[in-house]
Amino acid sequence: MKSVSVLADGTALTYTSRCAIMDSLFNSDPLGELTICVPESVINSFATVIAIDINSSLT
């Protein structure tokens, strides 16, 4: 994971990610969870759009 931010203004958001140890050891593209902390100050009443910049090996 590279970064997580609010699309409207670029505010960086804190996040954590995790996956099972066995998946991370034996799977080159493991499934996991991403938890994003979104403070009330950046929530838009219509739609809060979050940009997730991931590392990807897709070609």
Side-chain angles (χ1 to χ4, degrees):
M1 185 76 46
K2 288 184 180 181
S3 65
V4 177
S5 61
V6 178
L7 187 61
D9 62 6
T11 301
L13 300 175
T14 58
Y15 64 92
T16 58
S17 61
R18 68 179 186 164
C19 69
I21 292 172
M22 296 304 284
D23 281 344
S24 65
L25 293 174
F26 298 112
N27 186 348
S28 63
D29 189 19
L31 295 176
E33 296 178 3
L34 179 64
T35 303
I36 304 169
C37 297
V38 182
E40 281 191 50
S41 61
V42 299
I43 295 176
N44 182 294
S45 59
F46 297 109
T48 303
V49 180
I50 296 173
I52 301 171
D53 190 4
I54 60 173
N55 296 331
S56 177
S57 60
L58 298 176
T59 56

